[in-house]
Amino acid sequence: MSDEQIDSVEALLEEARLTARMPGPAERLRLRQAADLSRAQVAAAVGVGRQTIANWEEGTSTPQPPGRAKYLRLLEGLAQLHPAPAEAPGAVPHESAVHAFAEPQTARDAEGRAVQG
């Protein structure tokens, strides 16, 4: 494989990682509001229009480059400052709760080997 092909593969993997870590629209909205930020402020920080942020928070479109990486970084930082109620210190999360930024889990067989779905 050439260096160019390896770079292309790595770029695709990074895009997949970003997509997997992106919280859903309701959590995006909750985090922005918890930080008392306007859509215009977020839009300026990540380099997109205010309506783009509205669309991302309403779920009418999904975050795309070039603003997606910056937006995800902002959301991850806001999640640390403003954890979801189930994640608040001392809270017991509901058994069905899933952390918005959890890394995808790999299924394993009885011997601990990764299983492809």
Side-chain angles (χ1 to χ4, degrees):
M1 209 184 270
S2 72
D3 287 344
E4 186 175 307
Q5 288 172 318
I6 291 172
D7 289 344
S8 295
V9 168
E10 289 303 316
L12 288 174
L13 287 171
E14 183 57 25
E15 286 299 317
R17 287 183 196 105
L18 290 175
T19 300
R21 290 175 25 215
M22 185 64 66
E27 181 65 1
R28 297 173 205 159
L29 175 63
R30 185 194 72 78
L31 289 168
R32 180 182 60 76
Q33 290 176 336
D36 198 28
L37 297 173
S38 70
R39 286 179 172 156
Q41 287 174 300
V42 173
V46 301
V48 299
R50 188 205 62 76
Q51 186 59 49
T52 298
I53 298 299
N55 292 342
W56 291 351
E57 290 178 349
E58 294 165 3
T60 57
S61 67
T62 58
Q64 299 295 318
R68 179 173 51 194
K70 289 180 184 178
Y71 187 54
L72 180 59
R73 181 187 296 166
L74 173 65
L75 294 174
E76 288 175 333
L78 293 177
Q80 289 177 349
L81 295 171
H82 305 283
E87 297 175 22
V92 178
H94 186 272
E95 64 186 40
S96 65
V98 176
H99 190 276
F101 298 102
E103 292 292 328
Q105 299 296 311
T106 302
R108 304 229 176 244
D109 65 15
E111 295 179 17
R113 293 181 298 236
V115 176
Q116 294 185 359

